[in-house]
Amino acid sequence: MRKPWIVGALLAGLLLGACGDPASEGRAPAPVGPGGGSGTPSATVERRAAASPAATPPKARAKVKAPTVLYLGDSLAMESRKVLGAELRARVRARYTSAPYSGTTLCDYLEGTADRSLVPAKDKAAALVRSLRPDFVVLQFWGNSWGYTPCMEGITYDKARGRYFSRYAADADRLTDQIAAAGGSRRPRIVWVLQGPDPVTPDRVRKVNALYERQAHASHDVVADAGRAVSPASGRYTWAQYLPCTAYEREHPAYCTRPGRTALHRDDDPLHFCLAPTTSEPRPCPVRSPGITRIAREISRVVAGRLR
């Protein structure tokens, strides 16, 4: 009976500390740049040549215009940012920009929240859409539920679930409107990334994902069910540290961390997918991590499918 309490305590510590949330230092948070530290240039643009040109047949590449993709999110996006960029360049030759901030949620990227947000004005979603004119805006948010970011105004899942979901839905709608307005006649397509199982509050992430799906349907956007790629075949919302290797992982044996199975999480971190130890400063994952690759491949598959 003690296991849920232990996992919950561990997860809370990781979210408020190892994920890069400055609250663990006992002081007001300094803005954390997308590169993982204060003072880092705002959005990071990655426009190198495709890592694997053979991923898309030459004729297909000639017919399809390379899209511009903007990737925003929290610590899950921070750890995945480089891998997703590589996947998008390989699959669709994307011009790719990422600006994730650890510890954030949807309201942090809303314009008009500069004094209550972990994201500076220059990196708000609408500001980046106006400057970059992306074809796609990929949003990956676990769903800040512990009340850390100031823009949530103390609304937490455990203390006020109804208010939490109402506020989250309203923020999703406002963020969609701001992105659409910033895009004008070239409104970008929003890709809402569905999250994987939550080991502490599984019903919360199920409802957050349902909220993303409703928002995408209402605004004619799309979802990328990356969370399914890190869930057991027997249960979409059943958390697992290890899963059977996929066909891709069997073809690339380094991704099968154990015979026939691959690790999605470290023993000390049930939430993140980076297999390197977490640090106080947010950073892209520095080691090969199958969970991150699974997520990135699904997002890039959805983007590629919308170009046809």
Side-chain angles (χ1 to χ4, degrees):
M1 295 297 294
R2 298 177 58 198
K3 187 175 181 181
W5 180 89
I6 294 172
V7 173
L10 172 61
L11 182 57
L14 288 164
L15 291 172
L16 296 177
C19 292
D21 296 332
S24 61
E25 300 176 11
R27 54 182 172 82
V32 180
S38 302
T40 304
S42 55
T44 298
V45 182
E46 302 181 43
R47 297 183 180 175
R48 296 192 297 268
S52 178
T56 304
K59 288 185 178 180
R61 292 203 305 273
K63 292 179 181 179
V64 178
K65 175 181 175 291
T68 298
V69 181
L70 173 62
Y71 184 39
L72 307 176
D74 54 21
S75 59
L76 296 179
M78 174 65 77
E79 68 181 5
S80 302
R81 61 188 299 190
K82 286 190 174 180
V83 176
L84 179 59
E87 288 288 339
L88 287 168
R89 288 191 299 272
R91 191 182 289 263
V92 295
R93 300 178 297 124
R95 294 182 293 273
Y96 171 75
T97 302
S98 63
Y101 283 77
S102 292
T104 58
T105 193
L106 300 177
C107 59
D108 286 290
Y109 282 90
L110 288 169
E111 290 191 319
T113 61
D115 58 338
R116 297 175 288 111
S117 172
L118 303 180
V119 176
K122 65 181 180 297
D123 285 342
K124 299 296 188 181
L128 291 174
V129 168
R130 283 191 292 268
S131 63
L132 298 170
R133 313 302 292 176
D135 300 292
F136 296 91
V137 177
V138 180
L139 301 176
Q140 181 165 4
F141 292 91
W142 175 80
N144 185 318
S145 63
W146 64 94
Y148 170 64
T149 182
C151 68
M152 283 297 287
E153 300 174 314
I155 300 172
T156 61
Y157 173 76
D158 60 334
K159 294 181 180 178
R161 296 187 182 186
R163 290 184 65 204
Y164 167 78
F165 286 116
S166 295
R167 171 61 186 277
Y168 210 71
D171 287 343
D173 191 52
R174 286 184 62 199
L175 190 58
T176 297
D177 287 345
Q178 289 191 2
I179 290 172
S185 61
R186 290 188 54 196
R187 180 202 189 278
R189 181 68 60 88
I190 299 173
V191 180
W192 293 93
V193 180
L194 305 189
Q195 301 306 299
D198 183 333
V200 180
T201 55
D203 193 52
R204 183 199 65 83
V205 78
R206 185 195 305 269
K207 291 180 178 177
V208 165
N209 282 347
L211 184 154
Y212 290 158
E213 290 180 295
R214 288 194 300 272
Q215 183 63 46
H217 177 75
S219 55
H220 305 288
D221 289 306
V222 295
V223 297
D225 194 358
R228 184 175 296 278
V230 290
S231 304
S234 58
R236 171 62 178 81
Y237 290 98
T238 301
W239 183 88
Q241 184 175 5
Y242 296 90
L243 287 180
C245 293
T246 63
Y248 175 85
E249 289 160 356
R250 290 192 296 272
E251 292 171 4
H252 301 79
Y255 284 94
C256 284
T257 57
R258 294 188 177 186
R261 294 196 302 162
T262 193
L264 302 180
H265 306 279
R266 289 172 53 86
D267 292 342
D268 59 355
D269 188 344
L271 174 61
H272 295 92
F273 295 93
C274 183
L275 298 184
T278 51
T279 59
S280 59
E281 279 202 19
R283 61 176 180 172
C285 186
V287 301
R288 181 186 295 109
S289 299
I292 290 176
T293 300
R294 290 184 179 206
I295 289 169
R297 284 173 60 84
E298 178 58 19
I299 295 171
S300 64
R301 184 192 70 80
V302 170
V303 170
R306 291 291 162 170
L307 293 176
R308 296 169 187 167

